Amino acid sequence: MAHAEGRQMSAINCLLNAKKFGPRELLALIIVSLSFAFITFHLYAGMYGHPEAHFYRSLHLTGILLLCFIIFPLNRQSWSDKPNLWTLIDVLCIILTLAMQIYYLWDIDAFEYRQVSPSYITIYDVCMGIILWVLVLEGTRRALGLPMVIIALFFTFQALYSDKMFWIFYGPNTSLKALTLDMYMQEGGIFGMPVGTIASFVVLFLIFGAFMEETGTGRTFIDLALGGFGAKVGGPAKAAVVGSAFFGMLSGSSVANVTTTGTFTIPLMKNVGYPNKFAGGVEACASTGGMFTPPIMGATAFVVAAYLGLPYITVAAAAAIPALCYYTALFATVDFHARKAKIKPLSKEEMPVVKEVLKKGAHLLIPIIALVYLLVVGYTAATACFWSIVGLFVISFFHKESRPGAESIVRVCEIAARATVVTTMACAAAGIIVSSTTLSGVGLKLGTQIVSLSGGQLWIALLLSAILAVILGMGLTTTAVYIIMVVTVIPPIEAMGVPPLAAHMYALFWGVLSNIIPPVAIASFAAAGIAKAGPMETAVAGFRIGIPGLLVFATFVYNPGLLMIGSVADIVINSVGCIAGVVYMSAAIQGYAFEKINPIFRVILAVCSLVVLSPRWDFTFSGMLVGIAIMAFNYLASKKNTVNTKLMGVGKS
C-alpha cells in the first residue's frame, strides 16, 4: 500500500485536539465533511434504494477519488504533513475529478444516448475517459501500491496494441473509442459490477463493522473467547482463533483483523509460552479466515454473489462448512502444539469473567443476530445491513460504555469511508483489467492455455489456478484477485464440469489464502510486527499452521457437499470427513496429539487425512476408521504414561 494506514492521523482527532485553525485543520474538516456526506448518501440509498446504476456508481467513485487524493497525498507520509510543491498535483487531481463528474451530469440524456455505439462517441468523451483512466490508476497507486497499476497498464496497452504483442497477447487491436465506450461510458469497465457491488452493499457492511468496533463489540468477542477458552490447554491461542473468527466476520480484512485482535491475543500467547513466530502465525491464520466466515465475510463475497446472480445468503451458506473446517484445523493445531510444548492455561486472574462481559456487551450481539435473521428470511443484503445498523445505533444507547456521542458517529463515518476508498480503488482498477481483457479476448486465451497445460486433467487445472491466485495475491487485494480469475480461469474450470458456485468459491478462497502463503503473506507480516518476530519466519510458521486448513479448499471442488451442494447424505459425509481430515493432518504435522505420535503412525495419519477427503464414501469411511484407531491408541498411551508418572512420583515420595 502506498501509504500505511497506521501513519494516517484521524481527521476527527486532529480537529478535537486542535489549538488553532490552520491548513491542517482545514484539511481535517474537509475529510470529516466528505466522509460524513459520503456515508450519509449511502445510508440514504440503503433505505430508499439507489438511482440508475451508472449515475449512482459515478457519484460513488467521485466521492472515493476525492477522499483518496486528500487522504493519500503525493510525496507526503500523511495528509496532515505540511503541503509542498507536489500538493499542486493533488489539487489538479481533485479538480479533474470534479470536472469529470460535472461533464457527466451536464447533460445525462445526451451522455446516455452516446452509450449505444463507438460511432456516437465524441472527442470530449474520449478525453474524459482517458482522464478517468489516469485518475483511477493514480488513486490505485496511492491506496494500494504499484502492482495493480502495472497489471492494469499492461492489459490496457495490450488491448490497444495487440498486433504488436506476442503469444496469447497477440491479436487484432481494440480502438480507443471502443475501449472508452466499454471502460468509461457503459457499465462493463470502471463502472462495472464490482464497483456497483461496493457502492450498493459493501459500504453498508463497512459502516456496520466500523460501528461495531467503535461500540466495543470486537473487544467483547475477544473477552468472551478468553473467558470461554482461557482455562483450557493453549487457552490464549484458542481464544485468538475464536475471537479473530468472530471479529473477522465484521472487519472483512485480514490485516485489520490482525492489528485489532492481535494486539490482545499475541502478547497473551507469548506470555504463556508460545514462540513469537508461532503466536504471530496463529493470529495471521485466524484473522485471514474471517474473510470467508459467514454471516458477513469480506467484500469479495458480495462480488461473488453479484457475478453468480445469487442471493448473498446462498454464498454465505456455501462458505459455512469450509470456514468451520478451517477453524477446526487451527483449533486442533494450537491444541496439539500446546500439549506438546506443555503450555499452561491462563490463571483465573488473567481471564475475563464471562458473566461480566455479557453484562456489559451482550446487547451488542443482538444486531448481528438480527442481520443473520434478516438475510435468512429473504431480505436483500443492503436492506438487512441498513436495519442492522439502525438497530445497533438504538441498542448501543442501552449501556453507558457503548453509548455513542457525536464524536463516535463522525469517527465511524471516517473509518468506513477510509476502508471504502481502498476497496473501491481495487475494484475500479480491476474494472480496467476486465474491460481490456474482455475486448482483446486475452482472458479467454489465458483460460484456454490453462486447460491446454492441464491436459484436460481437472486437478492440474485447479492447481494452476491456485498458483495463479497466490501469485496475484502477492500484490493485489483479494477482490482484485478474484475479479481477474473470473475473466481468466473460472470459465474453463466451469467448462470442465465444475459447478459455477464451486468454481467461483475456489477462486475466492485461494485469493483470501494468499494472505498467509509466503513469500508475500501480508497478514503474517502484520502479525510479525506485533509479535516482534521476523516477517518471513512468521509467514513460514503461519503457512505451516495453515496447511491442514488448506486441505479444505484444495478438495471441496471434488466434494461439493462442503458447499451445501448435493443430498443431505453428501453434505454430512463430506463435512464429517473433512473435519476428520484436518484434525488428522494437524496431528501429523505437529507429531503430537495427546502423546508423541510414532513416526510410522504419523505418516499413516497424514495419508488418512487425504483419503477421508476422497469423493468416494468407502475411502472416506476407511480413512476415518484408521485415523480414529491411531488417535485412540495415542490417547490410551497418554493415559498410561500419566498413570505411570503418578506411580513413580508416589514411589519416590
Side-chain angles (χ1 to χ4, degrees):
M1 190 176 292
H3 294 266
E5 279 294 315
R7 291 174 146 176
Q8 292 285 332
M9 176 185 288
S10 168
I12 183 61
N13 287 345
C14 178
L15 288 176
L16 292 173
N17 299 326
K19 295 180 180 179
K20 62 177 182 177
F21 195 85
R24 189 175 73 163
E25 287 69 31
L26 176 60
L27 271 178
L29 181 61
I30 292 172
I31 292 173
V32 167
S33 301
L34 269 175
S35 300
F36 185 79
F38 182 81
I39 297 305
T40 303
F41 169 68
H42 284 86
L43 285 172
Y44 180 87
M47 182 174 183
Y48 294 105
H50 56 75
E52 186 270 331
H54 196 286
F55 172 72
Y56 181 63
R57 295 170 188 179
S58 71
L59 289 176
H60 171 86
L61 186 58
T62 297
I64 289 295
L65 288 171
L66 291 175
L67 284 168
C68 182
F69 295 130
I70 297 173
I71 294 173
F72 301 118
L74 191 62
N75 204 35
R76 285 186 289 154
Q77 292 293 337
S78 170
W79 61 267
S80 57
D81 293 343
K82 186 178 180 180
N84 53 36
L85 190 62
W86 293 96
T87 305
L88 293 175
I89 297 180
D90 297 335
V91 174
L92 177 62
C93 289
I94 291 169
I95 292 172
L96 288 175
T97 300
L98 293 172
M100 178 198 68
Q101 186 63 29
I102 291 170
Y103 175 79
Y104 170 64
L105 295 176
W106 191 261
D107 193 345
I108 294 180
D109 292 336
F111 186 91
E112 292 179 349
Y113 173 78
R114 296 195 300 274
Q115 291 176 338
V116 178
S117 169
S119 59
Y120 294 155
I121 294 178
T122 67
I123 187 64
Y124 302 109
D125 294 330
V126 174
C127 290
M128 285 298 170
I130 293 174
I131 289 172
L132 178 60
W133 177 79
V134 172
L135 291 174
V136 167
L137 292 183
E138 173 58 13
T140 302
R141 187 194 65 78
R142 297 186 186 202
L144 294 160
L146 274 174
M148 188 78 171
V149 176
I150 293 171
I151 295 174
L153 278 170
F154 172 79
F155 282 110
T156 300
F157 286 103
Q158 184 274 329
L160 293 172
Y161 303 103
S162 296
D163 62 340
K164 294 177 175 59
M165 293 290 173
F166 56 93
W167 191 40
I168 62 172
F169 304 109
Y170 176 81
N173 294 340
T174 301
S175 70
L176 184 58
K177 282 191 173 184
L179 194 60
T180 300
L181 177 66
D182 190 77
M183 188 181 294
Y184 164 57
M185 301 190 70
Q186 294 182 338
E187 297 162 19
I190 292 173
F191 297 111
M193 186 273 296
V195 167
T197 302
I198 302 299
S200 301
F201 308 122
V202 177
V203 175
L204 295 174
F205 280 85
L206 291 174
I207 297 169
F208 186 61
F211 208 165
M212 294 289 277
E213 186 176 348
E214 185 68 21
T215 54
T217 308
R219 185 61 207 233
T220 299
F221 282 136
I222 296 298
D223 286 344
L224 285 175
L226 284 171
F229 296 98
K232 310 294 182 183
V233 176
K238 290 177 178 176
V241 171
V242 175
S244 295
F246 280 112
F247 186 79
M249 296 186 307
L250 307 178
S251 70
S253 166
S254 59
V255 175
N257 201 357
V258 167
T259 54
T260 303
T261 61
T263 53
F264 301 115
T265 58
I266 290 176
L268 282 173
M269 284 189 273
K270 290 169 60 179
N271 289 342
V272 297
Y274 282 104
N276 292 15
K277 63 181 181 181
F278 190 89
V282 168
E283 181 57 48
C285 291
S287 295
T288 297
M291 296 179 69
F292 49 72
T293 303
I296 299 179
M297 306 172 68
T300 314
F302 296 92
V303 182
V304 173
Y307 266 115
L308 287 170
L310 295 173
Y312 170 73
I313 190 64
T314 303
V315 175
I321 296 175
L324 173 64
C325 294
Y326 176 82
Y327 278 108
T328 299
L330 294 184
F331 204 85
T333 296
V334 298
D335 181 84
F336 297 151
H337 182 88
R339 294 176 188 275
K340 179 172 66 173
K342 303 293 188 292
I343 293 175
K344 296 180 180 180
L346 292 176
S347 64
K348 286 186 177 180
E349 292 74 21
E350 296 174 297
M351 289 171 50
V353 180
V354 173
K355 287 184 179 179
E356 291 298 319
V357 175
L358 289 174
K359 185 178 179 181
K360 293 180 180 179
H363 62 294
L364 298 174
L365 307 180
I366 296 174
I368 301 177
I369 298 171
L371 175 64
V372 175
Y373 171 78
L374 292 172
L375 288 171
V376 169
V377 298
Y379 284 86
T380 65
T383 302
C385 190
F386 172 80
W387 287 113
S388 298
I389 293 170
V390 173
L392 176 59
F393 179 76
V394 174
I395 286 174
S396 62
F397 282 92
F398 289 4
H399 200 284
K400 183 179 179 180
E401 292 185 6
S402 63
R403 194 173 299 152
E407 176 189 339
S408 297
I409 294 171
V410 174
R411 183 175 287 107
V412 166
C413 292
E414 184 183 347
I415 292 171
R418 284 173 179 263
T420 310
V421 167
V422 176
T423 307
T424 301
M425 293 316 305
C427 287
I432 292 175
I433 297 170
V434 170
S435 183
S436 301
T437 54
T438 302
L439 290 173
S440 68
V442 72
L444 182 61
K445 292 177 184 177
L446 182 57
T448 304
Q449 284 295 314
I450 287 180
V451 173
S452 177
L453 289 172
S454 69
Q457 296 294 319
L458 178 59
W459 71 272
I460 298 178
L462 292 172
L463 177 62
L464 292 172
S465 301
I467 292 171
L468 176 63
V470 172
I471 292 173
L472 290 172
M474 292 180 187
L476 308 183
T477 64
T478 301
T479 306
V481 172
Y482 167 74
I483 293 170
I484 291 174
M485 293 187 72
V486 164
V487 296
T488 55
V489 300
I490 290 179
I493 288 177
E494 289 181 2
M496 297 176 80
V498 177
L501 179 59
H504 284 254
M505 294 299 280
Y506 187 80
L508 165 65
F509 286 134
W510 282 103
V512 170
L513 294 170
S514 65
N515 286 278
I516 57 168
I517 299 177
V520 182
I522 59 171
S524 297
F525 293 169
I530 301 172
K532 294 181 173 56
M536 191 51 66
E537 67 177 6
T538 304
V540 172
F543 178 66
R544 188 170 182 267
I545 293 165
I547 285 176
L550 299 183
L551 290 180
V552 181
F553 313 110
T555 59
F556 71 70
V557 168
Y558 292 98
N559 297 298
L562 293 174
L563 299 177
M564 301 285 191
I565 299 173
S567 65
V568 174
D570 288 330
I571 295 171
V572 172
I573 292 173
N574 287 165
S575 302
V576 173
C578 189
I579 290 174
V582 298
V583 172
Y584 296 163
M585 181 57 77
S586 297
I589 289 175
Q590 293 299 318
Y592 201 98
F594 309 100
E595 182 74 16
K596 185 177 180 180
I597 302 175
N598 179 288
I600 296 176
F601 284 166
R602 193 173 172 181
V603 173
I604 295 173
L605 207 56
V607 173
C608 287
S609 70
L610 300 176
V611 172
V612 296
L613 294 169
S614 168
R616 288 184 51 171
W617 289 10
D618 53 345
F619 282 17
T620 299
F621 286 124
S622 299
M624 285 180 63
L625 290 174
V626 175
I628 289 171
I630 293 174
M631 296 293 279
F633 180 81
N634 184 259
Y635 176 75
L636 293 174
S638 72
K639 288 294 183 182
K640 182 179 179 181
N641 288 339
T642 302
V643 172
N644 290 339
T645 302
K646 288 181 178 179
L647 290 175
M648 289 175 64
V650 172
K652 287 181 180 180
S653 63

